[in-house]
Amino acid sequence: MLRHFGMFAHYNRWANTLLYDAAAQLSDAEFHENRGAFFGSLRNTLNHLLVADRMWMHRFTGTGEAAAILNAIPHDALADLRAARAAEDQRIIDWVETLDDARLAADITYSPVTRPGAITHPLRAAVAQFFNHQTHHRGQCHMTLTALGKPSLELDLIYFLRGEGRRWM
């Protein structure tokens, strides 16, 4: 499980880099344009991913920023958002490297922003959700890019594993 989450932490950074490289090719109007994703625009969806990752990392570590709402926009400009994303991706990798089997088996308790009340389950389930959520919304970002007429991205895990991620196989 530890190696699996390490792979996902590095894959996450790799996929985000590809996604942000593609976003950098957009005009500002395209970046802000609502193309029907759950959070509307690429800007909003990328901000949601950052906000949600920070919420989870705050739950996991007790440190860092944590917005009170899922649709917060901490960064309007792509350059600022990209810098924050790169820092958060490194923070995730660094944190995953501190985990051990006992910690993953231990319970985590938190209160979701979507509904009041404590939720408790093993940390390993929360970490799996954390990485799954990122993949889910990166898919929406991919849809937004293709709806804007941009080339399709190869974000599948297998592409990472065939290249930069070979050490995780």
Side-chain angles (χ1 to χ4, degrees):
M1 186 69 62
L2 293 170
R3 187 164 173 79
H4 186 76
F5 288 143
M7 174 191 65
F8 274 118
H10 286 271
Y11 163 71
N12 179 62
R13 177 173 54 191
W14 174 86
N16 284 335
T17 299
L18 291 178
L19 186 57
Y20 275 81
D21 286 349
Q25 303 306 309
L26 299 176
S27 69
D28 193 56
E30 289 172 320
F31 183 60
H32 287 82
E33 186 177 331
N34 185 335
R35 297 303 294 193
F38 187 83
F39 289 93
S41 68
L42 189 58
R43 180 205 65 161
N44 293 359
T45 305
L46 291 174
N47 270 285
H48 167 71
L49 271 169
L50 179 64
V51 164
D53 285 358
R54 286 175 170 174
M55 284 179 179
W56 278 109
M57 288 299 291
H58 188 268
R59 292 170 184 160
F60 296 154
T61 68
T63 65
E65 299 178 43
I69 57 172
L70 293 172
N71 61 348
I73 305 293
H75 302 286
D76 186 58
L78 178 61
D80 296 335
L81 183 56
R82 185 176 200 156
R85 176 77 266 166
E88 198 64 27
D89 286 346
Q90 187 60 53
R91 181 176 178 229
I92 292 165
I93 288 168
D94 293 345
W95 175 72
V96 166
E97 290 175 356
T98 71
L99 296 175
D100 59 30
D101 290 329
R103 176 80 200 282
L104 286 172
D107 283 344
I108 181 174
T109 300
Y110 60 92
S111 294
V113 297
T114 54
R115 66 181 178 108
I119 304 271
T120 300
H121 49 72
L123 178 63
R124 70 177 172 273
V127 176
Q129 161 58 26
F130 176 64
F131 288 120
N132 185 66
H133 178 261
Q134 294 166 2
T135 300
H136 165 70
H137 283 294
R138 269 195 304 268
Q140 292 179 345
C141 291
H142 180 269
M143 177 281 307
T144 300
L145 287 165
T146 57
L148 289 166
K150 305 305 175 189
S152 184
L153 299 175
E154 293 179 335
L155 296 175
D156 286 354
L157 176 64
I158 198 67
Y159 293 113
F160 168 73
L161 293 173
R162 290 175 185 164
E164 184 179 316
R166 283 187 175 280
R167 72 183 183 120
W168 298 102
M169 289 200 289

